[in-house]
Amino acid sequence: MKLPPGISERDFSQATDRMRDIVGKDWLFTSDEDVLLYRDAYSPFLGEPEEYIPSGAVAPNSVEQVQEIVRIANRFKLPLWPVSAGRNLGYGGSAPRLSGTLVLDLKRMNRVLEVNEKLAYAVLEPGVSYFELYRYLREHKLKVWLDCPDPGWGSVIGNALEHGLGSTPYRDHFDAHCGMEVVLANGELMRTGMGALPNAPTWNTFKYGFGPFISAIFGQSNFGIVTKMGMHLMPEPEAAQSVSISVPRREDLIPFVDIMAELTNRRIVDCLWEIASPILQSRDPEVSSLLAKSDFTVLDVENLGRAKSLGYWGTRLWFYGPPKIIDANWGYVQERLALIPGATFALADRFTFPLADPSLAKDDPMTVPNGDALRLSALGIPNMSVFALGAAMRQHGHIFFSPVIPMSAQDLFKAEEVFRGAFKTLGIPWFGLQPFAWYRRNFILLFIFPITEEVSANKVLRANLAKLIRIAADNGWSEYRAPLVLMDDVMNTMSFNHFALPRFLEKIKDAVDPNGILAPGKSGIWPKSLRKVRP
Ligand SMILES: Cc1cc2nc3c(=O)[nH]c(=O)nc-3n(C[C@H](O)[C@H](O)[C@H](O)COP(=O)(O)OP(=O)(O)OC[C@H]3O[C@@H](n4cnc5c(N)ncnc54)[C@H](O)[C@@H]3O)c2cc1C
């Protein structure tokens, strides 16, 4: 068993014995077999002694139990790593950043405490998954939608705290939260926003409350354990329409992104959209043989694209709302993009609600075929189809590198040049950019690297990722979220004015958690006792 630094076996067993008394013997886990379940299945340290491994896990089922556990952890200075569903695959799973940390598994606290249909919000405990909330809304025939990320098994709260993302107008999950209840590092209970006012009916409707907007500091941090959260939901629209758009020339990216950015900022387009290249991503044999040549030109690609009716760039959008508003928005989008010669527009699926198509509303959304995954998520239906893609590629797992750049074509071209060059230097095959318009005014460039069972390949991957973070930072770009293994690397790039921000975060950490028991190392924030000198 791995113990945290400075904790003796005697102290560990005394602390866990007391916790067992609180939660009951079935909910404190220290056997190797149980701990295995809390390891990161996609760990980039697979088979290496450095793997981040917890000492065990404790699973309370009430706020009072969480408070008691935190008090015991303080007495023994035993660090805790809170997870809600613990499905943070690609970013660390449910493993802690510091080996030996005890996982505080909140999965059993999975009550939907309230859903207000009129004002479209829910109040949840951390263990409520997207599947569970979806089933609750369906069973109670409530006309509100949740917005889900690709995997439906995650926690609505855990995902939001990680700044996770989905696909509808409510895709920015942290932005959609409203009002938290937090167990602080000393075991005290606090409510944020209007929750500070006893019995305030606005706790889950008005998120700022009075004074500083303090909920923000509990996202991607280690300052408290969130035990309840309000989430704004989307009132069920009358209809949803998907459409696709393409433009024929590489240089069209400039007006295309400019117009799409403006339409997105005006919320005429209000969904996740991605820039794809129908021609470069085509599996057509003629396209493949052209791209395999060493001397093909952009003009060759554009001409072949025209012949095959495949755009150089393309995207897919969803519109939601009353049909006449959908039609008006789509009409305006076409009017604006028609300024680009050769732009094409196509209508795809239209759904009306409540859903008439029983195949999309079936009880077990986990069984839908692959191709439906994106469509289901866009309709607020959680599913697990995205995992079939990894399985099809026979990967052990993967890790994300996800820098954020401004939403402009010039920045995209620059990022393409910088990362293509970096990949070449590092000996990584270039697979192109995947820009996702999750946040307004920005693209997230999602790079997905496979984790293998080969230790040497994983070592090279880790070194390469650290270098990519540095290269991105040298160009002014950083990540929206980082896997455990890269958290320090990312925080160590935040060097403005002698690391003023990391130093401020450390001051907060020392003030609110003097014993350093909450998630040491989360987002590169370490308690005093474990802090290394900044580079
Ligand atoms: C194939 C694939 C596709 C994916 N697609 C998406 C996607 O579309 N969108 C997306 O956002 N993500 C995506 N992910 C990443 C990830 O799987 C999801 O974000 C997932 O929802 C996170 O797990 P979770 O919700 O169980 O959160 P958890 O694992 O429960 O929490 C994540 C982290 O938040 C903190 N935390 C959690 N709960 C608390 C609490 N109560 N108090 C204090 N801190 C807490 C902890 O640091 C924890 O490690 C994808 C991953 C894979 C492998």
Side-chain angles (χ1 to χ4, degrees):
M1 175 192 294
K2 284 211 181 181
L3 291 176
I7 304 282
S8 66
E9 260 179 55
R10 194 164 155 266
D11 279 356
F12 180 79
S13 74
Q14 279 193 14
T16 47
D17 283 349
R18 286 179 201 191
M19 290 180 187
R20 193 178 286 109
D21 290 342
I22 306 292
V23 295
K25 67 176 173 32
D26 291 337
W27 302 106
L28 190 293
F29 311 103
T30 51
S31 74
D32 287 350
E33 203 184 8
D34 286 331
V35 168
L36 193 63
L37 298 173
Y38 290 96
R39 287 166 72 166
D40 177 11
Y42 290 5
S43 173
F45 291 102
L46 207 71
E48 294 181 68
E50 290 93 338
E51 183 181 340
Y52 307 139
I53 297 180
S55 47
V58 57
N61 76 351
S62 70
V63 176
E64 293 73 24
Q65 289 189 359
V66 175
Q67 290 178 280
E68 277 306 307
I69 289 167
V70 168
R71 288 187 190 115
I72 296 165
N74 256 306
R75 218 169 305 143
F76 291 90
K77 297 198 169 60
L78 175 63
L80 301 170
W81 183 269
V83 298
S84 289
R87 309 289 195 203
N88 204 12
L89 287 175
Y91 293 99
S94 46
R97 171 60 184 82
L98 177 73
S99 277
T101 302
L102 190 73
V103 174
L104 179 64
D105 181 349
L106 302 170
K107 229 183 271 108
R108 291 174 70 209
M109 295 171 62
N110 64 348
R111 283 156 282 224
V112 175
L113 300 168
E114 182 191 350
V115 175
N116 185 316
E117 190 181 23
K118 243 188 191 164
L119 294 179
Y121 69 83
V123 186
L124 308 170
E125 288 189 331
V128 176
S129 71
Y130 290 96
F131 283 128
E132 284 164 336
L133 180 56
Y134 178 72
R135 285 196 188 111
Y136 183 98
L137 299 177
R138 291 250 320 266
E139 274 164 26
H140 292 80
K141 299 194 180 351
L142 295 165
K143 287 185 178 296
V144 278
W145 281 19
L146 51 80
D147 181 285
C148 48
D150 282 343
W153 63 356
S155 149
V156 180
I157 290 185
N159 179 279
L161 288 174
E162 271 290 274
H163 300 174
L165 297 156
S167 46
T168 74
Y170 285 63
R171 62 195 172 279
D172 178 348
H173 297 162
F174 196 65
D175 184 55
H177 98 270
C178 185
M180 291 180 186
E181 178 183 89
V182 187
V183 172
L184 301 175
N186 62 2
E188 216 182 347
L189 196 63
M190 179 175 88
R191 287 190 175 179
T192 66
M194 283 300 178
L197 177 70
N199 300 320
T202 47
W203 181 31
N204 309 112
T205 55
F206 180 64
K207 73 175 163 191
Y208 298 127
F210 180 74
F213 176 42
I214 212 70
S215 295
I217 71 163
F218 296 105
Q220 288 191 7
S221 82
N222 48 14
F223 301 149
I225 299 163
V226 177
T227 47
K228 286 186 187 68
M229 197 193 257
M231 282 301 290
H232 289 172
L233 304 173
M234 178 157 118
E236 181 174 85
E238 290 82 345
Q241 171 75 57
S242 78
V243 300
S244 61
I245 302 167
S246 75
V247 291
R249 295 174 311 135
R250 181 173 158 84
E251 285 300 312
D252 291 335
L253 189 67
I254 298 170
F256 182 64
V257 171
D258 280 353
I259 295 169
M260 285 297 294
E262 187 208 315
L263 293 169
T264 304
N265 293 338
R266 291 172 69 187
R267 306 192 188 194
I268 291 166
V269 168
D270 201 1
C271 64
L272 160 66
W273 53 276
E274 176 193 351
I275 295 186
S277 175
I279 181 76
L280 296 176
Q281 290 161 353
S282 159
R283 296 219 175 121
D284 183 296
E286 261 183 87
V287 177
S288 308
S289 68
L290 173 67
L291 299 181
K293 290 184 186 161
S294 55
D295 58 349
F296 72 86
T297 63
V298 167
L299 195 61
D300 295 335
V301 178
E302 291 173 352
N303 286 338
L304 186 59
R306 266 190 208 98
K308 301 255 167 206
S309 302
L310 292 170
Y312 200 101
W313 306 110
T315 196
R316 189 172 178 179
L317 308 177
W318 283 89
F319 294 96
Y320 303 91
K324 60 184 171 192
I325 295 194
I326 289 180
D327 294 342
N329 279 332
W330 174 224
Y332 185 68
V333 168
Q334 291 178 82
E335 194 182 311
R336 294 295 308 279
L337 289 169
L339 295 173
I340 304 172
T344 67
F345 306 96
L347 282 171
D349 303 316
R350 178 172 288 214
F351 299 96
T352 51
F353 304 98
L355 267 181
D357 177 355
S359 68
L360 277 170
K362 61 184 152 214
D363 281 327
D364 186 3
M366 290 180 73
T367 58
V368 297
N370 270 346
D372 280 348
L374 284 179
R375 190 167 65 169
L376 286 176
S377 301
L379 299 177
I381 305 176
N383 63 89
M384 293 294 285
S385 306
V386 69
F387 283 96
L389 303 175
M393 289 190 274
R394 294 180 188 282
Q395 287 175 4
H396 176 84
H398 62 256
I399 192 162
F400 292 109
F401 168 59
S402 35
V404 187
I405 66 165
M407 191 182 277
S408 86
Q410 285 78 3
D411 285 276
L412 273 177
F413 283 137
K414 182 178 167 194
E416 187 184 46
E417 191 189 323
V418 168
F419 287 118
R420 189 203 290 268
F423 275 46
K424 194 168 174 204
T425 313
L426 299 172
I428 310 170
W430 176 245
F431 42 81
L433 292 184
Q434 282 196 82
F436 287 89
W438 262 305
Y439 294 109
R440 294 177 193 97
R441 297 177 180 78
N442 299 286
F443 284 123
I444 292 178
L445 306 177
L446 205 61
F447 294 98
I448 305 176
F449 294 96
I451 300 289
T452 67
E453 282 167 14
E454 254 180 72
V455 167
S456 58
N458 290 341
K459 276 188 179 161
V460 171
L461 173 63
R462 296 198 306 264
N464 282 345
L465 286 167
K467 284 179 195 152
L468 285 172
I469 286 169
R470 192 62 260 169
I471 291 166
D474 291 343
N475 286 279
W477 307 317
S478 187
E479 299 203 72
Y480 91 103
R481 168 182 184 183
L484 295 177
V485 61
L486 301 175
M487 287 175 174
D488 283 335
D489 294 281
V490 176
M491 191 54 95
N492 285 338
T493 62
M494 302 293 168
S495 58
F496 172 77
N497 194 18
H498 309 288
F499 299 92
L501 178 74
R503 284 187 289 110
F504 182 68
L505 294 170
E506 288 166 357
K507 258 185 216 150
I508 298 179
K509 181 70 180 162
D510 293 342
V512 301
D513 181 13
N515 289 326
I517 55 146
L518 293 187
K522 173 79 186 177
S523 295
I525 307 167
W526 291 92
K528 210 175 205 157
S529 56
L530 295 165
R531 200 170 296 151
K532 294 176 205 108
V533 180
R534 297 218 157 267

